[in-house]
Amino acid sequence: DAKTTQPTSMDCAEGRAANLPCNHSTISGNEYVYWYRQIHSQGPQYIIHGLKNNETNEMASLIITEDRKSSTLILPHATLRDTAVYYCIAWREDMRFGAGTRLTVKP
Amino acid sequence: NAGVTQTPKFRILKIGQSMTLQCAQDMNHNYMYWYRQDPGMGLKLIYYSVGAGITDKGEVPNGYNVSRSTTEDFPLRLELAAPSQTSVYFCASTGQANQPQHFGDGTRLSIL
C-alpha cells in the first residue's frame, strides 16, 4: 500500500498559483491519487483525483509524473479562502489520511 | 439530498459514560468510515466497512465498537468514555472503489 509524503506547510501569495507537491514513490499501478482539503474544523472536501493522466476541474489541476511516483496539485489563482490543510492520498479500501500540507494564502 | 448525516453535532460526556455517534447516508454507498481528529492533527481511521455486515479495524480502534446492519447506517459506540477520546469525529462514505469520499459535518465530543 502506497505511502504519501507532503511538505508540512507552504505559503502562497493571493492571486498566484499554488503548487502543492506529493511524493508517492511506492504507489501501485491501479491506485488512484486523491486530493482533499480541510478548512478549519470542517469535514474534508474532495478536490480531484487521477490515475496517470493529468486532470483538471473547476477547482484545481492535478499533474502526475509519467512514472507516477509524484504528483502536484495546482490551484491556479489562489485566494484567501484556499487557506486550508491539503491531503494527498492513494486510494485504498481503508482510506488513511496523513498530516497533509498546511497552505497559507497571504494577501 | 442529505448526503452523510451525523448526530449529534456536539456532546459532553462524563468519564465512564457510554454513547453512540450516529452516521447515516442516503446515497446507497457501500463503503463507510469513522475518523477522529484531535486538535491540530490529521484524521485517524477508527473503523471502516465495505458493506452491510462487514466491519474492519482502522488505525485507532481501541475503545470503540461499530456495527453495519444496514447499508445506510454506521453507528460508532463508545464504551467507558475516557478523556483521551475527546475529539472531533467524522463519518464518511463512498460508493465503490476508487470513488471520492463524502464527509459528514462532524461530531464534537468532549469527555470531562
Side-chain angles (χ1 to χ4, degrees), chain B:
Chain B
N1 49 348
V4 178
T5 303
Q6 291 185 237
T7 56
K9 295 190 184 305
F10 304 93
R11 184 71 184 270
I12 298 175
L13 281 182
K14 294 183 179 179
I15 296 170
Q17 287 185 319
S18 60
M19 77 163 293
T20 299
L21 282 65
Q22 301 291 344
C23 176
Q25 51 89 11
D26 61 359
M27 298 171 284
N28 201 33
H29 282 174
N30 289 319
Y31 296 79
M32 295 189 74
Y33 307 83
W34 274 105
Y35 296 91
R36 60 174 286 174
Q37 186 173 35
D38 299 334
M41 307 296 285
L43 285 80
K44 293 292 186 183
L45 180 66
I46 306 172
Y47 272 96
Y48 70 102
S49 169
V50 301
I54 305 169
T55 61
D56 281 290
K57 295 179 180 179
E59 302 168 273
V60 290
N62 291 344
Y64 306 95
N65 282 300
V66 293
S67 60
R68 185 91 184 272
S69 56
T70 66
T71 298
E72 295 78 18
D73 300 298
F74 191 39
L76 178 71
R77 178 82 177 166
L78 278 72
E79 305 283 1
L80 297 176
S84 60
Q85 293 177 306
T86 293
S87 193
V88 180
Y89 291 83
F90 290 103
C91 179
S93 73
T94 188
Q96 55 187 314
N98 292 317
Q99 293 296 309
Q101 286 176 308
H102 299 251
F103 280 83
D105 292 332
T107 294
R108 282 148 184 80
L109 180 63
S110 294
I111 299 165
L112 306 174

Side-chain angles (χ1 to χ4, degrees), chain A residues 30-32 34 36 38 41-46 49 87 91-99 102, chain B residues 31 33 35 37 41-43 45 48 50 57-59 90 94 96-101 103-104 108:
Chain A
N30 61 351
E31 287 182 317
Y32 280 73
Y34 273 77
Y36 291 81
Q38 188 176 25
S41 55
Q42 298 176 22
Q45 175 190 24
Y46 162 76
H49 73 284
Y87 298 98
W91 200 98
R92 48 189 282 179
E93 195 172 87
D94 56 336
M95 284 286 275
R96 302 187 182 200
F97 288 70
R102 183 171 298 278
Chain B
Y31 296 79
Y33 307 83
Y35 296 91
Q37 186 173 35
M41 307 296 285
L43 285 80
L45 180 66
Y48 70 102
V50 301
K57 295 179 180 179
E59 302 168 273
F90 290 103
T94 188
Q96 55 187 314
N98 292 317
Q99 293 296 309
Q101 286 176 308
F103 280 83
R108 282 148 184 80

Side-chain angles (χ1 to χ4, degrees), chain A residues 19-97:
Chain A
N19 297 284
L20 291 87
C22 179
N23 181 286
H24 34 78
S25 58
T26 60
I27 199 169
S28 65
N30 61 351
E31 287 182 317
Y32 280 73
V33 177
Y34 273 77
W35 284 83
Y36 291 81
R37 73 179 182 183
Q38 188 176 25
I39 298 174
H40 292 302
S41 55
Q42 298 176 22
Q45 175 190 24
Y46 162 76
I47 301 173
I48 198 167
H49 73 284
L51 184 61
K52 53 185 176 182
N53 297 321
N54 298 338
E55 302 287 345
T56 296
N57 63 19
E58 66 278 5
M59 291 183 67
S61 295
L62 174 61
I63 308 298
I64 303 173
T65 58
E66 193 168 340
D67 62 8
R68 300 212 331 120
K69 293 183 184 299
S70 65
S71 61
T72 301
L73 179 75
I74 301 171
L75 308 177
H77 305 287
T79 70
L80 299 179
R81 288 177 295 179
D82 292 322
T83 291
V85 178
Y86 288 78
Y87 298 98
C88 166
I89 309 167
W91 200 98
R92 48 189 282 179
E93 195 172 87
D94 56 336
M95 284 286 275
R96 302 187 182 200
F97 288 70

